């Protein structure tokens, strides 16, 4: 049972570099989410998607972009990495089958911008 | 504004002792409440959820939580803590259905002493 898979698990970037954090789920969930987790701050929603081709901004979208070309994949792109983007990034997905379905999380990507 | 408060940043409990983690929320509509656990280097795992019915809900790993509307609380409890319960615990609140925007608390780190 793969669930939600995130790659890479760790990455160090230099300021100004770009990268894509990958997220894929094999549960055929329509809803997908990207969060960032900073120490002592809980999780903040960056972007979310309600289905292939549909994305929207969350609380903290600045500096990030997303796309959703398939149901399975929801990559998060950092175009110009900044030290403030050092964080742990979590992807989550949720089934559309029932209003009470919870979100399922991946193991995270730990990103450092130096 | 929607918010979740977890007043305890750290809690240390002796193995075998009981545990209660506090969560207070502010939410304008009927809340849908969750407790997630995060082990070091891992993603968030759902412990339990509540949106209606019996206000005492049972979860995995022997955890339970009680919803008290009058106190806007959703405290997590376990009668006897095991060393493997050492982790960070997050309370979250959101809407039932829709894309389910969750607001997370800042987390409580549980330490278990021998």
């Amino acid at each position: 049972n793969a669930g939600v898979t995130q790659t890479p698990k760790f990455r160090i970037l230099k300021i100004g570099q770009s990268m894509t954090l990958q997220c894929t789920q094999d549960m055929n969930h329509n809803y997908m989410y990207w969060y960032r987790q900073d120490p002592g701050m809980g999780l903040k929603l960056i972007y979310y998607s309600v289905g292939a081709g549909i994305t929207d901004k969350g609380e903290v979208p600045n500096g990030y972009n997303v796309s959703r070309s398939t149901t399975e994949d929801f990559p998060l792109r950092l175009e110009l990495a900044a030290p403030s983007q050092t964080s742990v990034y979590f992807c989550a997905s949720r089934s559309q089958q029932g209003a009470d379905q919870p979100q399922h999380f991946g193991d995270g990507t730990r990103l450092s911008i130096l | 504004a929607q918010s979740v408060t977890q007043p305890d940043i750290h809690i240390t409990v002796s193995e075998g002792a009981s545990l209660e983690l506090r969560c207070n929320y502010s939410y304008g509509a009927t809340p849908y409440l969750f407790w997630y656990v995060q082990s070091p280097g891992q993603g968030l795992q759902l412990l339990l959820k509540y949106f209606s019915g019996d206000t005492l809900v049972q979860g995995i790993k022997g955890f339970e939580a009680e919803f008290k509307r009058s106190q806007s609380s959703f405290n997590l409890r376990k009668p006897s803590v095991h060393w493997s319960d050492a982790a960070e615990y997050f309370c979250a609140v959101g809407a039932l259905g829709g894309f389910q925007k969750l607001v997370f608390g800042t987390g409580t780190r549980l330490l278990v002493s021998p």
Side-chain angles (χ1 to χ4, degrees):
Chain A
N1 297 336
V4 179
T5 302
Q6 293 183 236
T7 57
K9 292 190 183 301
F10 305 92
R11 184 75 184 267
I12 298 174
L13 283 182
K14 295 182 179 179
I15 295 171
Q17 287 185 320
S18 62
M19 79 163 292
T20 299
L21 282 64
Q22 301 293 343
C23 176
T24 187
Q25 51 93 7
D26 62 358
M27 297 174 282
N28 200 34
H29 288 173
N30 276 5
Y31 297 105
M32 295 189 74
Y33 311 79
W34 274 107
Y35 294 89
R36 58 177 288 169
Q37 181 184 33
D38 299 311
M41 297 296 290
L43 277 73
K44 300 292 186 184
L45 183 65
I46 305 172
Y47 272 94
Y48 68 96
S49 169
V50 301
I54 306 170
T55 63
D56 207 345
K57 297 178 180 179
E59 298 174 79
V60 290
N62 292 344
Y64 306 95
N65 280 299
V66 293
S67 60
R68 184 95 183 269
S69 57
T70 66
T71 298
E72 294 78 20
D73 300 307
F74 190 40
L76 177 72
R77 183 147 179 94
L78 284 69
E79 291 293 351
L80 289 171
S84 62
Q85 293 177 306
T86 294
S87 189
V88 182
Y89 293 85
F90 288 101
C91 179
S93 73
R94 174 175 161 264
S95 171
Q96 64 281 8
Q97 300 297 329
D100 65 332
Q101 293 298 312
Q103 294 179 29
H104 299 265
F105 287 81
D107 286 343
T109 294
R110 283 147 186 81
L111 181 62
S112 293
I113 315 295
L114 303 176
Chain B
Q2 302 161 4
S3 66
V4 174
T5 302
Q6 294 181 247
D8 302 306
I9 298 175
H10 298 100
I11 282 185
T12 300
V13 174
S14 299
E15 190 168 16
S18 63
L19 169 70
E20 182 168 27
L21 301 182
R22 296 182 290 166
C23 172
N24 292 94
Y25 66 90
S26 173
Y27 198 73
T30 301
Y32 186 19
L33 294 154
F34 304 82
W35 274 100
Y36 282 90
V37 60
Q38 184 182 28
S39 298
Q42 302 295 312
L44 279 70
Q45 180 183 20
L46 180 69
L47 282 177
L48 47 80
K49 59 184 180 179
Y50 171 80
F51 67 97
S52 69
D54 192 345
T55 56
L56 184 63
V57 294
Q58 302 298 319
I60 63 171
K61 304 185 180 187
F63 286 91
E64 66 179 25
E66 186 171 13
F67 171 62
K68 294 184 177 180
R69 184 183 299 276
S70 62
Q71 299 178 20
S72 297
S73 69
F74 189 56
N75 294 348
L76 182 71
R77 300 194 295 247
K78 187 171 185 178
S80 178
V81 168
H82 188 262
W83 64 266
S84 60
D85 293 323
E88 188 146 23
Y89 293 79
F90 292 93
C91 181
V93 65
L96 186 65
F99 86 92
Q100 194 185 82
K101 178 184 184 297
L102 291 182
V103 176
F104 284 84
T106 52
T108 298
R109 182 165 297 278
L110 173 65
L111 305 174
V112 180
S113 60

